[in-house]
Amino acid sequence: MTTIAIISPSVRRGRNSHRVALYFKNYIEENNLAQAEIIDLKDYDFPLFDERLHQQNDPSPGALEIASRIRSADGVIIVTPEYNGGYPASLKNVVDLLYDEWRRKPVAISTVSDGPFGGSQVITSLQFSLWKIRAWTVPAMFPVIRVTEAFDENGVPADRKAADRRAAGFVSELLWCIEAKVRMG
Ligand SMILES: Cc1cc2nc3c(=O)[nH]c(=O)nc-3n(C[C@H](O)[C@H](O)[C@H](O)COP(=O)(O)O)c2cc1C
């Protein structure tokens, strides 16, 4: 079965974007679209980046584990909050830590904010970094505005019908890219 890794990068106390990661996991599994797992960067507590994994002599078990999880996923969803127009340092840490693991990896980006703009400014910087590292960014958007009103702590959407309709388009683009990659070998 297709596997989708959902990266939840916020390590902030009282974080809210994690709600959207929980929603995607539930949505994907309830609709039997793929096997979904959350890669929660709060669980890893990585130190600041000091070298790429393939250049390290004594990699931490966490670094090896995350590399293996990204490598084995057929596709990735990144649920990123917007901090001052950019993406969180915790996510940059992981983008830079890995290298070959990102190559031709289909990656769909969902942006989140607690205001009215849905993290619209973070997409360009994250997309550019992923393009530089040779990932395949999927041309689909899933901006979330006013996240605490839109999803509860368990990822249950306030308006399920509207959320599911948007998720259907977003996830199907990711699955199309995953399938295209499988066909190309
Ligand atoms: C340091 C910081 C900077 C932020 N900058 C922005 C911003 O530039 N644009 C925006 O729409 N929201 C911004 N916000 C609000 C966040 O989008 C909102 O707090 C969101 O819930 C953050 O995700 P998190 O709760 O998972 O950490 C910022 C929040 C923080 C903590």
Side-chain angles (χ1 to χ4, degrees), residues 10 12 14-18 81-85 112-114 119 147:
S10 178
R12 192 175 70 82
R15 65 186 177 168
N16 293 312
S17 58
H18 192 66
E82 178 173 312
Y83 292 165
N84 298 312
V112 177
S113 81
D114 63 358
V147 61

Side-chain angles (χ1 to χ4, degrees), residues 13 20 24 37 39 53 56 68 77 83-85 88 92 94 99-100 112-113 121 128 146 150 161 166 171 173 181:
R13 294 170 219 176
V20 182
F24 276 121
E37 61 168 71
I39 299 180
L53 181 60
Q56 292 182 21
S68 151
I77 293 174
Y83 292 165
N84 298 312
K92 185 80 166 98
V94 166
Y99 187 67
D100 278 340
V112 177
S113 81
Q121 290 178 311
F128 185 71
R146 299 191 180 91
K161 216 170 153 189
R166 290 208 299 134
V171 175
E173 283 298 310
K181 187 182 164 188

Side-chain angles (χ1 to χ4, degrees), residues 46-81:
F46 284 124
L48 272 182
F49 172 87
D50 61 2
E51 185 48 286
R52 289 157 292 181
L53 181 60
H54 68 268
Q55 300 280 8
Q56 292 182 21
N57 295 323
D58 54 349
S60 69
L64 291 171
E65 184 183 284
I66 208 159
S68 151
R69 293 178 79 185
I70 299 288
R71 197 181 302 114
S72 62
D74 297 302
V76 173
I77 293 174
I78 299 178
V79 176
T80 185

Side-chain angles (χ1 to χ4, degrees), residues 44-184:
Y44 285 94
D45 197 21
F46 284 124
L48 272 182
F49 172 87
D50 61 2
E51 185 48 286
R52 289 157 292 181
L53 181 60
H54 68 268
Q55 300 280 8
Q56 292 182 21
N57 295 323
D58 54 349
S60 69
L64 291 171
E65 184 183 284
I66 208 159
S68 151
R69 293 178 79 185
I70 299 288
R71 197 181 302 114
S72 62
D74 297 302
V76 173
I77 293 174
I78 299 178
V79 176
T80 185
E82 178 173 312
Y83 292 165
N84 298 312
Y87 58 98
S90 50
L91 180 55
K92 185 80 166 98
N93 247 13
V94 166
V95 170
D96 295 340
L97 178 70
L98 308 179
Y99 187 67
D100 278 340
E101 293 81 0
W102 290 120
R103 185 166 178 260
R104 294 184 179 158
K105 186 71 67 182
V107 183
I109 303 167
S110 169
T111 60
V112 177
S113 81
D114 63 358
F117 302 115
S120 55
Q121 290 178 311
V122 61
I123 188 107
T124 34
S125 55
L126 179 55
Q127 207 174 16
F128 185 71
S129 294
L130 291 167
W131 174 78
K132 281 283 288 188
I133 210 158
R134 305 179 301 164
W136 283 0
T137 56
V138 171
M141 291 166 71
F142 195 95
V144 175
I145 65 170
R146 299 191 180 91
V147 61
T148 50
E149 293 170 28
F151 294 91
D152 76 10
E153 285 177 1
N154 300 312
V156 177
D159 184 344
R160 177 175 291 280
K161 216 170 153 189
D164 286 0
R165 192 172 53 242
R166 290 208 299 134
F170 180 75
V171 175
S172 78
E173 283 298 310
L174 174 61
L175 290 170
W176 191 97
C177 291
I178 290 171
E179 174 68 19
K181 187 182 164 188
V182 169
R183 288 194 198 189
M184 289 303 289

